[in-house]
Amino acid sequence: MIVSVADFASLTNGTSLPLSKIPTLPLEYFTNALTAGIAAGLRISSYFGMAGGPDAAGAAAGGASSGGGAVTLYALLADDEQNRLLVARAKVEGDSFPSIAVACPQAQLFEREIAEQYGLIPAGHPWFKPVRYQRSWTGRDAWGRKADEPILPAVGDFYRVEGEQVHEVAVGPVHAGVIEPGHFRFQCHGEQVFHLEIALGYQHRGIERSLIGGPDKRSLHYAETMAGDSTIAHATSYCQILESLSGCRAPARAQALRGIALELERLANHVGDLGALAGDVAYLPTANFCGRIRGDFLNMSALFCGNRFGRGFVAPGGILFDCDAARIDELKLRLDAAETDTSIAVNLLWDTQSVLARFEDTGMIDMATATELGLVGPAARASGLSRDSRRDQPAGIWRFAQVPVSTCETGDVFARAYVRWMEIKQSIQFIRDRMKDLPGGEIRARPENLAADSLSVSLNEGWRGEACHVAITDAGGRFARYKVVDPSFHNWPALARSLRDQEISDFPICNKSFNLSYCGHDL
């Protein structure tokens, strides 16, 4: 039998399908097809479970059922070459499903998440551990833990390297400064890192389960705070889900203004990251300048969106308020000034040999590893992958306006920093172009009732990478399952890989060069 993804249903970003049109494949064929698709160059955008069989969209709250029972697995593959998405599903009758993690490492976190949420064992998984250290949604525990047994983040087995003078270094969950909690366990020989294992889950808030039964008044606010520094990306993905399921299209002006807000979000974070990287190698001029300039870009978001982080701007059907000519003119002036300041501050990095000595050949991820792990965003592009959902899976304004994809080949800290610098310049140009040619007209349409028994997909290229939302509605048009994949979920394993054979003193700049979200991973 020839196994391929030819049996998967096809759709595009920001669209929906009736559940009846999503093929249900035999479980073994389904997992083999996933493996074949990834080997052929596709990548996993989302892979998740839902309680009940394929015909039971209206499962109990949280996509859960008590006492186990059947679970349906859904897989969403991105075919970036053809600008399409492929989806299929399979029913799991027992308490396990075949793991593909050995052949497809990008699946390993998804499989562990399915195990944690639904109590299913991914048979053959090479390192079977919890992801967020939370109780199962179904009451069936994949690790056989008792119902009253405490589940604490980072408590459990860690990979160990044995040998003379090999020692273990534990960092976190409490860190210096105001960064989020996470645990990092290093296996070292002197200063050399043999292995790093990362344990998260401290920031879990139960967002996916809270969205079940929606949409309601809180749903948009959950989306805005999935990763607080990616408000526009996640809020836009959520709103595109509602627009797709209701057959509503945001007006052209709203789509353009959403695009500007998204690029302002990218600018503030990229500039802040370059400043933080400078600080981690004790290069204070750029660190201090970029800290201030980041504030300038956040204040531009406040001018444009009404909030420094963009909250309360994007809404189902469009945006909540318009941007008048006076504010556009003010934004142009501020953008010009910030561009000049950013160029001066950032170019100091590239002209300083002591900085380049720390950045170059540090924390390397080559293209083969980036492909294998399914990296997204600047981390993928810094390893030579030309991958950007604004171009590859366009929706909204990105169907009509393109931003050139910036890549580097070296996959080191320097590449991840330099990709950010190139994207800063491209984002500024995109904003200028949009302000010159803003469409007129309304800023919001009104979504009506959501389609029943349907699946909808929405991707947006946030500043860290692809923010993927998938919604499944029940017979009443309410969310029976809502799945979120923040870009950090794809990229955390790459940080661990980047430290192999590095000096442990390089951990801060490797970590900052990825700058992944703890709460975006933990949800």
Side-chain angles (χ1 to χ4, degrees):
M1 178 187 299
I2 298 176
V3 177
S4 75
V5 293
D7 295 316
F8 281 46
S10 176
L11 71 165
T12 56
N13 184 16
T15 63
S16 58
L17 275 179
L19 291 177
S20 60
K21 292 188 177 180
I22 299 175
T24 302
L25 306 176
L27 181 58
E28 185 175 359
Y29 185 97
F30 171 78
T31 54
N32 287 341
L34 286 181
T35 304
I38 294 167
L42 308 185
R43 59 182 178 85
I44 298 176
S45 280
S46 190
Y47 184 23
F48 61 95
M50 180 172 171
D55 299 324
S65 62
S66 59
V71 173
T72 300
L73 301 182
Y74 286 82
L76 179 73
L77 298 178
D79 182 353
D80 293 332
E81 290 292 327
Q82 299 297 322
N83 308 120
R84 62 176 184 162
L85 301 164
L86 302 173
V87 63
R89 56 187 174 177
K91 184 178 180 180
V92 182
E93 295 279 10
D95 60 2
S96 67
F97 64 100
S99 171
I100 63 171
V102 172
C104 305
Q106 63 184 271
Q108 64 93 12
L109 265 182
F110 289 101
E111 292 179 347
R112 288 163 54 191
E113 181 184 50
I114 291 167
E116 190 166 53
Q117 292 177 341
Y118 293 96
L120 298 177
I121 298 171
H125 195 287
W127 192 231
F128 182 44
K129 294 180 62 174
V131 175
R132 302 185 179 98
Y133 297 88
Q134 299 297 316
R135 297 207 177 276
S136 166
W137 294 5
T138 62
R140 174 175 55 192
D141 192 276
W143 293 271
R145 297 168 297 194
K146 296 179 181 179
D148 59 351
E149 182 179 341
I151 301 177
L152 301 174
V155 175
D157 293 331
F158 282 83
Y159 186 85
R160 295 179 67 91
V161 178
E162 302 290 346
E164 188 176 354
Q165 298 187 7
V166 175
H167 59 282
E168 189 172 76
V169 179
V171 178
V174 179
H175 304 283
V178 294
I179 66 173
E180 300 171 280
H183 183 72
F184 302 84
R185 191 76 63 93
F186 297 86
Q187 307 294 315
C188 298
H189 183 269
E191 291 290 307
Q192 183 183 14
V193 177
F194 285 164
H195 183 76
L196 167 62
E197 189 168 351
I198 302 170
L200 304 174
Y202 298 89
Q203 295 285 82
H204 180 66
R205 295 154 291 162
I207 285 179
E208 287 186 355
R209 294 192 75 176
S210 298
L211 287 165
I212 303 303
D216 56 35
K217 291 181 179 180
R218 291 187 176 185
S219 300
L220 178 57
H221 303 293
Y222 288 135
E224 290 182 325
T225 55
M226 287 170 181
D229 52 16
S230 302
T231 291
I232 298 296
H234 279 294
T236 302
S237 288
Y238 168 79
C239 290
Q240 286 178 176
I241 289 281
L242 267 62
E243 290 154 14
S244 166
L245 287 168
S246 64
C248 163
R249 175 168 291 182
R253 184 174 180 85
Q255 292 182 24
L257 294 174
R258 282 178 177 181
I260 292 173
L262 183 65
E263 296 311 301
L264 286 173
E265 185 170 80
R266 193 180 319 278
L267 285 166
N269 285 287
H270 278 2
V271 169
D273 281 354
L274 290 175
L277 278 167
D280 278 343
V281 297
Y283 188 67
L284 297 184
T286 298
N288 292 333
F289 283 134
C290 285
R292 191 266 297 169
I293 299 166
R294 172 181 176 269
D296 292 341
F297 281 115
L298 288 174
N299 288 335
M300 287 183 226
S301 288
L303 172 72
F304 188 77
C305 303
N307 181 280
R308 280 161 59 90
F309 294 99
R311 293 178 191 166
F313 180 70
V314 179
I319 55 177
L320 285 180
F321 58 90
D322 207 343
C323 193
D324 58 27
R327 277 192 293 148
I328 291 291
D329 290 341
E330 176 65 19
L331 182 59
K332 290 177 182 177
L333 291 175
R334 295 192 190 186
L335 194 66
D336 290 344
E339 180 184 33
T340 300
D341 291 348
T342 304
S343 180
I344 294 170
V346 173
N347 280 313
L348 290 173
L349 290 176
W350 321 134
D351 294 337
T352 304
Q353 290 303 311
S354 61
V355 172
L356 297 181
R358 291 295 308 279
F359 283 10
E360 291 175 342
D361 300 325
T362 300
M364 295 178 67
I365 297 290
D366 60 29
M367 185 187 293
T369 302
T371 302
E372 183 180 69
L373 296 178
L375 300 195
V376 297
R381 296 189 281 274
S383 294
L385 291 179
S386 182
R387 177 177 291 176
D388 189 319
S389 60
R390 290 172 294 179
R391 180 198 64 189
D392 302 333
Q393 306 289 344
I397 187 62
W398 310 110
R399 292 174 299 151
F400 310 107
Q402 289 294 313
V403 173
V405 177
S406 302
T407 63
C408 277
E409 301 294 332
T410 53
D412 53 7
V413 170
F414 170 80
R416 290 187 285 276
Y418 203 77
V419 163
R420 285 178 169 90
W421 171 228
M422 291 189 287
E423 292 186 357
I424 286 169
K425 292 185 283 187
Q426 297 292 354
S427 293
I428 289 172
Q429 188 58 49
F430 172 86
I431 292 171
R432 284 203 180 105
D433 290 344
R434 299 287 73 70
M435 290 192 296
K436 286 179 184 175
D437 193 26
L438 273 178
E442 299 296 321
I443 60 168
R444 192 178 184 192
R446 296 287 178 176
E448 300 297 334
N449 295 333
L450 305 190
D453 295 322
S454 297
L455 177 144
S456 179
V457 179
S458 177
L459 312 178
N460 271 282
E461 187 72 15
W463 65 273
R464 286 191 183 94
E466 176 184 287
C468 175
H469 290 215
V470 182
I472 296 175
T473 57
D474 60 19
R478 313 298 292 179
F479 295 146
R481 181 73 166 95
Y482 200 101
K483 181 76 197 99
V484 178
V485 184
D486 184 82
S488 295
F489 195 82
H490 294 284
N491 289 354
W492 274 109
L495 172 60
R497 287 287 286 272
S498 74
L499 263 294
R500 289 187 185 177
D501 297 320
Q502 297 291 308
E503 301 292 313
I504 194 170
S505 57
D506 287 331
F507 172 63
I509 58 171
C510 289
N511 189 16
K512 181 53 65 176
S513 72
F514 286 93
N515 193 14
L516 303 175
S517 174
Y518 297 75
C519 64
H521 171 280
D522 293 346
L523 294 176

